[in-house]
Amino acid sequence: MGDDHHEDDRPAFDPANVELPSKEPPLRETAPQSDFTMSQVSTGAVVALVGLALTFGIAFALV
């Protein structure tokens, strides 16, 4: 099997000589904390309604 770890590209780890990154990593932003536009909210609502209509519509049609 192939090894996708590319160990040759990594520097050797030396626990006695730990170097910190030169700059801080960027702040993470997760979806629940992001701002949404009304267009995105409307699209999500339409997709949810279509999904519910299909789910319950098919169930009621088969009864």
Side-chain angles (χ1 to χ4, degrees):
M1 293 185 91
D3 185 7
D4 291 336
H5 294 292
H6 305 286
E7 304 235 356
D8 296 335
D9 297 337
R10 295 187 203 171
F13 178 70
D14 181 9
N17 184 19
V18 177
E19 292 183 25
L20 296 175
S22 60
K23 64 179 184 173
E24 292 184 28
L27 294 176
R28 288 184 64 185
E29 184 175 321
T30 57
Q33 298 169 346
S34 302
D35 293 331
F36 295 105
T37 64
M38 281 308 293
S39 173
Q40 292 171 324
V41 172
S42 300
T43 301
V46 169
V47 169
L49 289 173
V50 169
L52 288 170
L54 285 173
T55 301
F56 290 107
I58 291 173
F60 286 131
L62 294 176
V63 173

